[in-house]
Amino acid sequence: MALELLRGGARKVVFALAPALLLALVDALAVPVQQMPWSGGRVGRHLVVAAVIAAGMWILLSAVDARGRTERCAAEGAGAPRADADPPGGPAARGAAGGPASWRSCLGMAGISAVLWLLMWAAVGPLDAMNDTYWSIRNPLGVAPQQPLVYSMIISGVVHGLRLVTGSMLPGIIALVLLQVILYGLGLSWTLQVLSRTGVPRAVLLVLAVVLGFLPITANFTFALVKDAAFTGFTLLLVPVLLSIQQTGGRCLRSRGFLCAMVVSALGFALTRNNALVILVLVGVLIVVLARRARRTACVWVAGIVVVALLPQQILTLAAGPQKSVESLGVPLQMVGSTLVHEPQCIAPEDARTLERIMPAQTWRDVFRPQSVDPVKYDPAFSEDALQGSRGEFLAVFARTLGRCPGPMLAGYRDQTSQLWRWDAIGVGGTSQSFFLEPISNAPGDRDEILADLAGHGVVKRPLLGEVVGTRMESVYRGGLEATPGAGTWVWALALVMAAAWYGRRGEVLVVAFPALLLWATLMAAAPIAEPFRYVAYLPWILAISAVVLLWGRGRAISRPGAPRAAARSRRTTPG
């Protein structure tokens, strides 16, 4: 017993210290070379960071241990019932366990969240979006090489369809907002119902719903008309899909209702972000692995979903040409740009000539900005056609330059992606395209022209609650949004929860976070700009749900009292 306790304590120490030391190391690597710790300026900061994370992890691991002891005691108590105990499924058992929450209860809790979301929407105005939304409505095929074709066609069709009837774009915009809020509400209610089946108390579910309703960053994306908001909603829908398959071993795939929900969730996920198809394939592999009792059915449905999701891309290629290479080569372009700025002599002459055809080296150096490729790709001297036509040649230049000049190339990668992995990432208030409280919330060069066109079609910033009340409430919401931590902070919080789940052997927590971790990995490989929070708007949702599953879930689904008898009757009456 003493040896077992000693081993358990050593394992806990390792799981508490390893993330802390890793974070301190990453914190050190995030600092420019001239400010590295051995210069004496930041050693204290790294030690403080490591100590705080180690203490926090110890507390989190202790909570996981306490939850494990509670489950073991409950299992032992259930395995040795007293002679005078109430029989399983009897009144006392039903009163103690209560069973999973009903759909009506979960819809009611999600309804509370929806009211809070709509209250924020009513305070800030009918349209909260950016210039990409406007051009998706106005010219869906024209922006197809950069924007998801299906999403653009749907929002354009709804807005222009209702405009033909009413003479204004406003009814279509309101309809889209309400549909998106319904999407989030259904996703949240289904998630709450599945969490309830894993033993999460109803009081915790209610708190989760209220928190997700009150948080300005989660509320804002439920009504913001940007493709990333819709994508986040479908990412949320994947949570109950994956958890249900994990809990039932795939038996839920025999339900037509579940199959319809899974298809809608997966296709919505794949068709609202251009790089989501690769992730959908990997999520499909996870579904097949989890569906151990219906693996053949899972394979067939996953294959069908992937084939259907590929069709819009083929239509796009025929109608508007292939997707622009610059959208997926943002990180390599920045790494090359960093080398051109800091060590241009390191680039081989023949490689420099290839880069010159894409953009003159001096112009590249003049417009280069470490955290974003946008100034480069939007400069008139940048040739998208040259990059598109010599994509393979550019990647070969990139590989050779990485081998010859690893220092400036890796520095370019560090600067381009730092917002995604620094624990002290810039807060949402210090970045652009991170929240949406205006019809055009970013600052494109044609912003005034877009706003004038929207006003001509009846779309202006006019709070539904009135100017006085709306202005005051918006200032409160804006303050909350600006105080929201940046992407890297959320990533590290989720990573610590994942480490605690690994420590507690809670695989269902990893299932919840699997799509989010894959999405983060794709951004680390190909993000054109890492600062906008809209790219990772799913993180607060996934973090909150993962923490609830870790600290209150039982790891295995529970049934309603009497469910075993109902299941037995179903088996007896099922043909075959």
Side-chain angles (χ1 to χ4, degrees):
M1 178 64 73
L3 183 59
E4 185 178 344
L5 290 175
L6 183 61
R7 287 176 178 173
R11 186 170 182 268
K12 186 174 181 180
V13 169
V14 170
F15 272 85
L17 289 181
L21 295 176
L22 177 61
L23 194 148
L25 175 62
V26 170
D27 189 46
L29 294 176
V31 182
V33 174
Q34 61 271 24
Q35 300 176 25
M36 280 293 182
W38 50 79
S39 65
R42 296 168 62 93
V43 176
R45 164 188 161 124
H46 303 317
L47 292 176
V48 170
V49 168
V52 170
I53 295 300
M57 276 300 294
W58 188 269
I59 294 172
L60 182 59
L61 298 179
S62 299
V64 172
D65 285 337
R67 179 62 184 169
R69 287 193 296 270
T70 301
E71 289 187 18
R72 287 192 295 272
C73 291
E76 292 171 1
R82 301 188 313 273
D84 57 346
D86 188 69
R94 286 193 294 269
S102 66
W103 264 108
R104 183 178 298 178
S105 299
C106 295
L107 285 170
M109 288 184 275
I112 295 173
S113 300
V115 169
L116 296 171
W117 300 334
L118 291 173
L119 186 63
M120 183 177 179
W121 174 61
V124 299
L127 176 62
D128 305 281
M130 58 183 292
N131 63 323
D132 287 353
T133 309
Y134 172 82
W135 290 115
S136 292
I137 294 172
R138 279 301 196 189
N139 187 15
L141 285 178
V143 300
Q146 292 177 287
Q147 306 298 326
L149 176 63
V150 173
Y151 175 79
S152 297
M153 294 296 292
I154 289 175
I155 65 172
S156 180
V158 171
V159 171
H160 288 302
L162 290 179
R163 182 178 65 85
L164 293 176
V165 177
T166 64
S168 170
M169 294 172 66
L170 187 59
I173 287 169
I174 292 176
L176 288 171
V177 169
L178 295 179
L179 285 173
Q180 192 164 286
V181 170
I182 291 172
L183 169 67
Y184 275 89
L186 291 176
L188 180 57
S189 61
W190 190 13
T191 300
L192 295 176
Q193 213 272 334
V194 173
L195 293 183
S196 177
R197 291 206 303 266
T198 66
V200 178
R202 300 187 190 193
V204 176
L205 297 178
L206 179 59
V207 170
L208 175 63
V210 171
V211 168
L212 293 175
F214 264 121
L215 273 181
I217 195 64
T218 52
N220 183 224
F221 276 84
T222 61
F223 59 80
L225 286 187
V226 292
K227 64 180 185 296
D228 305 279
F231 177 75
T232 299
F234 286 110
T235 304
L236 173 63
L237 270 176
L238 281 182
V239 171
V241 169
L242 294 175
L243 273 181
S244 296
I245 295 173
Q246 188 260 346
Q247 290 170 0
T248 65
R251 288 195 305 269
C252 54
L253 294 172
R254 300 169 186 168
S255 165
R256 292 180 181 177
F258 180 85
L259 284 173
C260 289
M262 182 182 75
V263 170
V264 170
S265 304
L267 288 179
F269 177 83
L271 298 177
T272 49
R273 179 168 286 185
N274 284 332
N275 66 347
L277 185 57
V278 175
I279 299 169
L280 177 64
V281 172
L282 297 176
V283 170
V285 172
L286 176 64
I287 288 175
V288 172
V289 171
L290 294 176
R292 62 187 184 278
R293 297 182 180 179
R295 196 148 285 162
R296 182 177 299 177
T297 302
C299 286
V300 171
W301 281 98
V302 166
I305 291 169
V306 171
V307 170
V308 173
L310 280 170
L311 292 178
Q313 186 63 41
Q314 303 308 311
I315 296 172
L316 169 62
T317 302
L318 293 174
Q323 187 179 359
K324 294 181 178 180
S325 294
V326 68
E327 295 301 314
S328 59
L329 295 178
V331 171
L333 285 169
Q334 285 296 89
M335 295 171 70
V336 170
S338 173
T339 306
L340 284 170
V341 169
H342 298 292
E343 293 186 31
Q345 71 282 358
C346 186
I347 301 176
E350 61 274 15
D351 292 341
R353 286 192 291 272
T354 300
L355 297 175
E356 191 77 19
R357 291 197 297 270
I358 297 172
M359 187 175 195
Q362 187 56 51
T363 306
W364 203 325
R365 284 190 287 267
D366 291 341
V367 302
F368 177 78
R369 185 156 59 92
Q371 282 78 32
S372 173
V373 76
D374 285 355
V376 171
K377 74 178 186 181
Y378 290 132
D379 191 273
F382 181 79
S383 175
E384 289 189 11
D385 293 336
L387 179 63
Q388 191 81 21
S390 60
R391 178 189 177 100
E393 189 176 356
F394 170 76
L395 289 175
V397 170
F398 167 77
R400 287 193 296 268
T401 306
L402 181 60
R404 291 168 59 94
C405 323
M409 291 284 282
L410 293 177
Y413 180 81
R414 177 200 65 200
D415 295 339
Q416 170 71 1
T417 62
S418 61
Q419 183 70 7
L420 295 171
W421 50 264
R422 289 192 62 156
W423 67 270
D424 58 346
I426 301 170
V428 167
T431 61
S432 63
Q433 302 178 29
S434 293
F435 60 86
F436 304 91
L437 300 179
E438 304 284 342
I440 304 297
S441 298
N442 57 333
D446 56 353
R447 186 173 188 269
D448 292 339
E449 290 82 356
I450 294 175
L451 290 174
D453 184 57
L454 288 173
H457 289 87
V459 181
V460 295
K461 184 175 175 60
R462 183 179 296 119
L464 303 180
L465 296 179
E467 292 291 340
V468 176
V469 175
T471 301
R472 291 179 179 176
M473 291 181 65
E474 181 181 336
S475 65
V476 175
Y477 288 127
R478 187 179 294 273
L481 289 166
E482 291 179 347
T484 301
T489 309
W490 293 96
V491 168
W492 272 106
L494 183 60
L496 297 180
V497 171
M498 293 302 101
W502 187 8
Y503 168 80
R505 298 180 175 89
R506 302 295 300 277
E508 68 277 10
V509 182
L510 302 177
V511 168
V512 170
F514 185 71
L517 296 175
L518 291 178
L519 288 166
W520 175 80
T522 62
L523 290 174
M524 289 290 289
I529 178 172
E531 289 185 354
F533 193 79
R534 64 187 177 94
Y535 293 141
V536 293
Y538 49 82
L539 284 176
W541 301 84
I542 300 301
L543 175 62
I545 295 168
S546 299
V548 166
V549 173
L550 175 67
L551 297 176
W552 286 280
R554 294 184 185 175
R556 296 189 65 180
I558 59 175
S559 304
R560 288 183 176 278
R565 292 192 296 272
R569 287 195 302 271
S570 174
R571 285 194 297 270
R572 288 196 298 269
T573 58
T574 299

